[in-house]
Amino acid sequence: MPKVVFNNPFFFNNVRKNIDKVLKTKIKETTGGKVFYKKSCTFLEKKLKAKKVVITNSCTAALEVAALLINVKSGDEIIMPSYTFVSTANAFVLRGGKPVFVDIRNDNLNINENLIEKSITKKTKAIIAVHYAGVPCEMDKIIKIGKKYNLFIIEDAAQAIFSKYKDKFCGTLGDIGCLSFHETKNITSCEGGAIILNKKKFFKKASIICNKGTDREYFNKSLRKYYSWRGLGSSYIPSEITCAILYSQLLNYKKIFNERKKIWYKYYLALKKINSKLIENKKLYSKDVSINYHMYFIICKDFRVRTKILNVLNKIGIISTFHYIPLHMSKIGSMYFKKKLNVTEELSKKIIRLPLWIGMNQNKVIEKLKKILNN
């Protein structure tokens, strides 16, 4: 019997058509004046009701741009959850920043907003809100803290495109938002990302940063006779082929959303019927939020149970996995942070992520999981 892989990106027919258009053009510009790059930016600005969106090579690149935009310097402290991908920390460490890790909530694995304030010092520069599994953080409280202490609020919305917090899209609530279009994400361009600029003061600086530190964008718009080196930056703008793939996916975002929602709820209802003491199966979000059905995970009774379930699933060809090793427990992370984070450490040992992709054989996964849990 064929394997049920953990992830399998779904592409629509117009992807090939868009790529062919790019390949047939005589001038294959890579940093400006591009059809699909501009269309993708405009689409996201309109859909998200965002002031400005810049498509980047990756969410990692978007986070690095964010660190440059807020001018992170040596010794600046950046508050963030430890339960996140390494790019959340790396982007700021590269600029000399120090990650200050805060424990997560027991229900949705997002940063515990009630623990943030006691981690703030005179060196604190920003708070990073990571919307884990596409479930929005408690942004009202986080934004209130940011205003009280004059801190930047950056949303790592890598997993949360089109998720909403109180009718506003993730990535548009703080000062800056970062999205991912990696192959594992709902909307994918194979590799890619975007930075959402919610303050006009960031627009010009972001353009310089993303264009290798030059004012080339203004040169391309005939607003300059030449372009030159104006500040720090790098090659953060993706190719037009990447944007051609992205735009075709964006046009089909409703289909993607609806299909993932069906799969998500089928897991939820099926596992709810099992009612096993070996796992927790919760909705994990409140009435104030709407999610994008990015991920379906279960929380096992303990590490031993998780290990046994994962071993059996993978042995029978259902590729499931755990998630992050908490950053504060890593070799590098422990150099910056020495405290324990009890909830983070406990839940990271219990989580299992189940396959979730359009076209998968979900019945097989549910049947086998039922059998494992009942036995």
Side-chain angles (χ1 to χ4, degrees), residues 17-63:
K17 183 179 176 182
N18 287 352
I19 291 174
D20 286 343
K21 280 184 180 179
V22 176
L23 295 177
K24 287 175 183 176
T25 57
K26 291 181 179 179
I27 301 174
K28 297 170 181 62
E29 185 101 42
T30 58
T31 56
K34 301 175 294 182
V35 174
F36 291 111
Y37 172 81
K38 288 182 176 179
K39 283 186 174 182
S40 297
C41 291
T42 301
F43 182 97
L44 287 167
E45 286 166 359
K46 288 181 178 178
K47 174 60 186 171
L48 300 175
K49 297 178 182 177
K51 288 184 172 68
K52 180 80 171 174
V53 173
V54 179
I55 307 298
T56 58
N57 291 326
S58 62
C59 188
T60 298
L63 286 161

Side-chain angles (χ1 to χ4, degrees), residues 333-370:
S334 62
M335 292 167 57
Y336 293 99
F337 192 84
K338 304 294 183 183
K339 300 176 185 177
K340 281 183 68 66
L341 299 174
N342 293 329
V343 179
T344 300
E345 291 172 30
E346 180 187 357
L347 292 184
S348 67
K349 296 176 182 177
K350 296 181 176 181
I351 190 170
I352 290 179
R353 295 182 295 154
L354 299 175
L356 199 167
W357 44 272
I358 297 170
M360 65 176 287
N361 183 354
Q362 192 182 10
N363 290 332
K364 177 184 175 182
V365 180
I366 291 170
E367 288 167 12
K368 297 296 184 183
L369 197 52
K370 278 182 181 179

Side-chain angles (χ1 to χ4, degrees), residues 64-77:
E64 289 181 13
V65 174
L68 285 164
L69 282 172
I70 67 171
N71 196 27
V72 172
K73 294 179 180 177
S74 181
D76 285 345
E77 294 178 354

Side-chain angles (χ1 to χ4, degrees), residues 3-14:
K3 284 184 178 181
V4 179
V5 296
F6 179 70
N7 180 65
N8 188 16
F10 185 87
F11 295 101
F12 295 88
N13 291 334
N14 57 346

Side-chain angles (χ1 to χ4, degrees), residues 271-283:
L271 292 172
K272 191 177 180 181
K273 288 178 182 177
I274 298 173
N275 195 26
S276 172
K277 292 182 180 180
L278 296 177
I279 63 167
E280 292 180 35
N281 178 49
K282 300 177 182 178
K283 276 194 176 180

Side-chain angles (χ1 to χ4, degrees), residues 70-340:
I70 67 171
N71 196 27
V72 172
K73 294 179 180 177
S74 181
D76 285 345
E77 294 178 354
I78 314 296
I79 290 174
M80 64 183 71
S82 172
Y83 201 61
T84 182
F85 189 58
V86 65
S87 293
T88 311
N90 253 341
F92 301 92
V93 171
L94 280 167
R95 307 254 56 86
K98 176 187 175 184
V100 175
F101 299 117
V102 170
D103 213 348
I104 56 176
R105 291 170 52 139
N106 228 328
D107 54 358
N108 59 20
L109 282 71
N110 281 331
I111 191 169
N112 190 328
E113 67 281 0
N114 297 314
L115 301 178
I116 291 174
E117 201 162 1
K118 66 180 183 181
S119 293
I120 294 173
T121 71
K122 291 180 180 179
K123 295 181 179 179
T124 306
K125 184 109 181 188
I127 301 168
I128 314 298
V130 180
H131 304 298
Y132 183 76
V135 181
C137 296
E138 185 54 53
M139 290 304 295
D140 280 353
K141 180 75 178 281
I142 294 172
I143 290 168
K144 186 177 179 181
I145 293 170
K147 287 180 179 177
K148 181 178 178 181
Y149 293 96
N150 195 28
L151 304 174
F152 291 104
I153 305 298
I154 297 172
E155 295 175 77
D156 183 338
Q159 300 173 11
I161 188 169
F162 302 137
S163 290
K164 284 184 177 180
Y165 177 82
K166 294 185 177 179
D167 293 323
K168 289 192 73 175
F169 287 104
C170 287
T172 68
L173 294 131
D175 298 294
I176 298 169
C178 300
L179 301 175
S180 174
F181 305 121
H182 184 261
E183 59 144 346
T184 57
K185 302 304 187 291
N186 294 23
I187 304 294
T188 179
S189 54
C190 298
E191 182 68 89
I195 186 162
I196 304 169
L197 307 172
N198 300 318
K199 296 284 191 298
K200 197 170 182 180
K201 65 180 181 180
F202 293 133
F203 291 8
K204 186 173 182 180
K205 189 175 180 181
S207 173
I208 290 169
I209 291 168
C210 290
N211 283 284
K212 306 178 184 72
T214 74
D215 53 2
R216 179 170 178 169
E217 181 182 350
Y218 298 91
F219 168 78
N220 288 337
K221 291 178 179 178
S222 300
L223 298 176
R224 295 274 191 279
K225 292 182 179 179
Y226 53 86
Y227 69 90
S228 64
W229 187 13
R230 300 295 297 272
L232 292 177
S234 191
S235 183
Y236 289 124
I237 301 296
S239 72
E240 181 71 337
I241 287 179
T242 297
C243 295
I245 298 170
L246 174 60
Y247 187 63
S248 72
Q249 297 293 93
L250 289 172
L251 290 178
N252 289 286
Y253 83 93
K254 287 184 180 179
K255 293 178 184 176
I256 294 169
F257 179 90
N258 290 332
E259 288 301 312
R260 295 185 74 92
K261 182 178 180 180
K262 289 177 189 174
I263 298 167
W264 196 100
Y265 266 102
K266 192 169 182 177
Y267 272 140
Y268 174 71
L269 295 173
L271 292 172
K272 191 177 180 181
K273 288 178 182 177
I274 298 173
N275 195 26
S276 172
K277 292 182 180 180
L278 296 177
I279 63 167
E280 292 180 35
N281 178 49
K282 300 177 182 178
K283 276 194 176 180
L284 301 176
Y285 59 94
S286 70
K287 64 181 180 179
D288 289 332
V289 308
S290 60
I291 67 170
N292 64 353
Y293 307 99
H294 170 65
M295 183 196 305
Y296 198 92
F297 65 86
I298 55 177
I299 303 295
C300 298
K301 181 181 177 182
D302 53 39
F303 178 74
R304 183 182 62 85
V305 170
R306 183 184 78 173
T307 302
K308 286 192 172 185
I309 292 174
L310 276 178
N311 286 343
V312 175
L313 285 173
N314 288 303
K315 190 175 181 180
I316 60 178
I318 297 171
I319 310 305
S320 303
T321 184
F322 52 90
H323 214 173
Y324 313 118
I325 303 298
L327 295 181
H328 76 285
M329 298 175 72
S330 67
K331 181 179 178 180
I332 300 299
S334 62
M335 292 167 57
Y336 293 99
F337 192 84
K338 304 294 183 183
K339 300 176 185 177
K340 281 183 68 66

